[in-house]
Each structure stands twice: as structure tokens, then as C-alpha cells.
Amino acid sequence: MRSRQRMFAAVMRLLLKCLRLGRRRRFKLVRQVEQLWQYGHLCLHSLLYNSFTNGDVVLDSLFEPVYWLVDHVTRWFGVVFVALVIGLTSSIVAIVYICLLPLILQTYTPAWICWHLAYGHWNLIMIVFHYYMAITTSPGHPPQAKDDLTGVSICRKCIAPKPARTHHCSICNRCVLKMDHHCPWLNNCVGHYNHRYFFSFCLFMTMGCIYCSISGWEMFRDAYAAIERMKLLEKERLQVAANQTYYQTPPPTFSFHQRAFHKSVVYLWVLCSSVALALGALTLWHAALITRGETSIERHINKKERQRLQKKGKVFRNPYSYGGWDNWKVFLGVDVPRHWLTRVLLPSPHLPHGTGLSWDLPPCVTKQRAPLLAI
């Protein structure tokens, strides 16, 4: 009897221990869930920790993985984009020399032949020169020795002083002087030392595409009509061949050389027209920025600063703008009138004004403006 009582008591003690252990595990699981909930709530609350946070900051935080992926893809595919630009441009030049130039020499008057030869080769030289310089020229970086470097802020990525108009490129992983943007078609940043080369390339490439589109419009219409006739005659030839034996099939109406010629003309006109529209819009956009004396990044900064000062009843003025005409002279490096020929209409490797570290008044500016609000 006593042995049964002892056994029953032992079983009850074991059962109580199991219940206590299960209760502890349940409490531990509940505590973990509460900790995760508090951590998630803290992360969400950190996005709205002050009055300066808005929807843009939240979206930037959510899209940070996308930005990281785009930065790394752009870095590795830059060489592919450069090869694509060189390949497409070379194909257009080859079509012009092989297909169009002999036709121009046979049908045009001597005056028009001289015009096309002079303008076409000048435009091609300007495109090749400025694209090569934009790729190979460094945009400019702050010096490694930081003793004498005057910075207006500290770069959060480099942990180093950052001069005025300098921004960090996440693709190059370096600070760039007067950074405009990172161009994948150049596989390089557009900054202080190669900004002029980039814009000149866009301008002359747009001019070249417009020139090819206008000059080849009549040939494009004839080539497109010839291709349509080829398709129609090919259908008729196949219908006739279906009712005859193989040795009675009529030969092709158009030769391989004719087909290649017409398709090359259509390819040239379509590609040049598309590039002229897309690159022309980009060129106009950058021309407007140059006229205002700001870069693509500074446009967003100036817009926010303008809105902030407007709420306080103040007027914001860009401290790096000297007026539309003087901004173009500073950007192109035109100090005297003859520079419009030697530095703008002819290939010129001259350096821009200043070092990109400080922004003193350039000598080509006609008059100094009143003191301006700094960014």
C-alpha cells in the first residue's frame, strides 16, 4: 500500500515538473515574440524619428537593396555599354562610307559634295575626340592628403572632408569633384574635368544623328518602298513556285547586294532618328542646367533649399551662377573671342577653370554678382 502511494506521489511530482517546464517554454516563446514586435516597432519608428523625415526618406530606405543592385550592375556593365556605343557608331559610319558616299559622289553637285564631306568629317572628328576624352579623363577627386583640404562637410562613406560641389559616387566608391552623375555609356563619372567633354559629345552626336536623318530621308523612303516591293514579289514568287516544279522556279528578283543596301539605309535612318530624339532631349536638359550654373545633383539640392527659404520669406540664389552667358563661357573655357573657334568648334583638351576644390570668380566673368546665399 505504501509502495503504491509513493509511486503515485512520484508520478504527480513528475507531472508537475512537466507542467512547469511547458509553462516556462510558453513564457519564453511569448517573450521572444514580444521582443521581435518591439524591435520591429523601433525600426519603423526610427524612420520617423524627426521632423525632417518624409516620404522620400522612407522610399529611399525601402529601395536601398535595389540601389545596391543597380550600382553593382552598372559598374560591371559599363564596359558593355561603351562597346555598344562604339559598335553602333562604327556601323553607321561604315554604312555611310560604303553605301551612301558613292551615291553622293555620283548624283550630287560639286558644292553639295564639298559640304557633305566637310561637315560630315568635322562632325565625326568632334564626336570621336570628345567621347574618347570623356571616357579617359578622370572627373577629379579630392586629394588624399587632407591637411590643407578645406571641406564644407564630411563624406559619410569616405569619412573625409568634402569640398563644395563634391559628392560621393556609390558606383565608383569615391568622392567626385563637381559631380553631375555617373554615366554608364562612358563607364565613368561626369565631374569637374570631363563635364565639358560629356556635354560636347552629346551635342555633336545629336547634330550628327539629325544630319544623317535629314540627309537620308529620301533614301530611306525609297529603301523602305523597295523592301515592301521585295516582300510582295517574294510572296508572288512562292505562290508561282507552289504550282510549278523546282526547276521552273523563277530566280529572285532582288540580289543580295540590293537587299543589304536597302536594309542598311533603313537601319541607319531608324537608329539615327531614335538616338537624335533621346539624346537630343538629354542634351537640352543639360544645356538648361549649364545655363543656370548647376549640375544634375545640385538641381535637387537647390530646389529643396529654394523651398525651405521660401517658407521663411527669403530668396535663394545659386552662388555658382554668374548669369546665363557667363555660365556658358565658364563651362566652355572661353576667355577671349578666338576661343569660340579654337576651344568650341575645334577639338581642344584645355582644362576647366579652377581646381574643383575652391570656386573663385573666373577671369572670363564680366562682372561679379552680389553676395549670394550658400548652399
Side-chain angles (χ1 to χ4, degrees):
M1 187 69 180
R2 292 180 179 177
S3 60
R4 291 182 180 178
Q5 291 178 355
R6 292 175 181 175
M7 184 178 298
F8 179 75
V11 171
M12 293 301 295
R13 284 196 296 270
L14 180 61
L15 181 61
L16 289 174
K17 287 182 179 180
C18 292
L19 290 175
R20 291 174 183 174
L21 183 62
R23 189 175 299 173
R24 290 177 182 175
R25 289 181 177 177
R26 287 198 301 271
F27 288 158
K28 185 177 181 181
L29 181 62
V30 171
R31 284 197 301 270
Q32 290 178 351
V33 172
E34 290 179 353
Q35 289 176 357
L36 289 175
W37 170 258
Q38 292 175 359
Y39 178 74
H41 184 267
L42 180 63
C43 291
L44 181 63
H45 185 70
S46 64
L47 296 175
L48 305 171
Y49 74 97
N50 60 21
S51 59
F52 294 99
T53 303
N54 51 23
D56 294 337
V57 177
V58 176
L59 288 177
D60 289 341
S61 301
L62 295 177
F63 279 90
E64 189 65 30
V66 179
Y67 298 150
W68 180 89
L69 180 62
V70 170
D71 291 344
H72 285 70
V73 169
T74 304
R75 183 183 306 171
W76 288 107
F77 274 83
V79 179
V80 179
F81 291 149
V82 171
L84 186 62
V85 172
I86 296 174
L88 293 176
T89 306
S90 301
S91 66
I92 295 299
V93 174
I95 292 173
V96 170
Y97 273 100
I98 296 174
C99 299
L100 301 187
L101 187 59
L103 189 62
I104 290 174
L105 295 176
Q106 293 175 5
T107 57
Y108 283 27
T109 61
W112 277 110
I113 291 175
C114 293
W115 155 253
H116 284 290
L117 290 177
Y119 178 81
H121 286 89
W122 170 78
N123 202 342
L124 178 61
I125 291 173
M126 297 297 285
I127 290 173
V128 174
F129 171 79
H130 287 101
Y131 188 66
Y132 174 78
M133 294 299 293
I135 292 176
T136 58
T137 302
S138 173
H141 307 283
Q144 297 296 328
K146 305 178 180 62
D147 298 336
D148 300 331
L149 181 60
T150 303
V152 297
S153 62
I154 300 296
C155 178
R156 293 179 298 176
K157 302 293 181 65
C158 300
I159 314 299
K162 189 167 61 173
R165 311 187 80 178
T166 300
H167 300 279
H168 186 89
C169 176
S170 58
I171 299 175
C172 298
N173 199 24
R174 295 187 66 181
C175 283
V176 178
L177 300 176
K178 192 193 168 186
M179 180 180 176
D180 188 90
H181 69 287
H182 184 94
C183 181
W185 300 102
L186 302 179
N187 195 26
N188 195 8
C189 269
V190 177
H192 178 63
Y193 288 103
N194 65 346
H195 194 181
R196 179 179 65 88
Y197 296 132
F198 165 77
F199 177 78
S200 298
F201 164 72
C202 293
L203 176 63
F204 289 113
M205 177 63 81
T206 302
M207 292 170 57
C209 290
I210 293 174
Y211 163 74
C212 291
S213 299
I214 295 176
S215 301
W217 169 245
E218 294 296 334
M219 285 183 277
F220 165 74
R221 291 177 56 187
D222 296 338
Y224 185 81
I227 291 175
E228 292 297 323
R229 288 198 304 271
M230 275 190 252
K231 294 180 181 179
L232 183 60
L233 291 175
E234 187 68 20
K235 286 184 180 181
E236 295 178 355
R237 188 180 69 84
L238 293 175
Q239 291 176 357
V240 172
N243 299 325
Q244 296 178 353
T245 57
Y246 68 94
Y247 57 83
Q248 294 175 331
T249 302
T253 307
F254 292 88
S255 64
F256 173 78
H257 177 73
Q258 292 174 327
R259 293 171 183 269
F261 176 83
H262 295 313
K263 291 182 180 180
S264 297
V265 173
V266 172
Y267 163 78
L268 178 144
W269 192 88
V270 172
L271 180 61
C272 289
S273 300
S274 303
V275 173
L277 291 175
L279 194 59
L282 179 65
T283 304
L284 291 176
W285 164 254
H286 279 278
L289 293 177
I290 295 170
T291 305
R292 295 197 294 263
E294 58 188 11
T295 62
S296 300
I297 298 177
E298 290 173 350
R299 175 189 176 274
H300 299 286
I301 298 176
N302 294 348
K303 181 179 179 181
K304 291 182 179 180
E305 189 69 9
R306 189 178 294 108
Q307 292 175 352
R308 185 183 70 85
L309 293 177
Q310 187 176 5
K311 293 179 181 179
K312 297 182 179 181
K314 299 180 181 180
V315 178
F316 170 78
R317 290 182 180 178
N318 184 7
Y320 309 113
S321 177
Y322 311 103
W325 182 248
D326 286 337
N327 287 337
W328 278 102
K329 290 169 63 178
V330 172
F331 178 79
L332 298 174
V334 177
D335 297 329
V336 293
R338 62 182 174 85
H339 285 168
W340 289 104
L341 174 63
T342 58
R343 293 187 173 185
V344 179
L345 298 181
L346 293 177
S348 175
H350 66 277
L351 296 177
H353 288 292
T355 61
L357 302 175
S358 60
W359 299 97
D360 300 328
L361 188 69
C364 59
V365 176
T366 56
K367 58 181 179 178
Q368 186 174 5
R369 298 181 62 182
L372 305 176
L373 291 172
I375 295 178

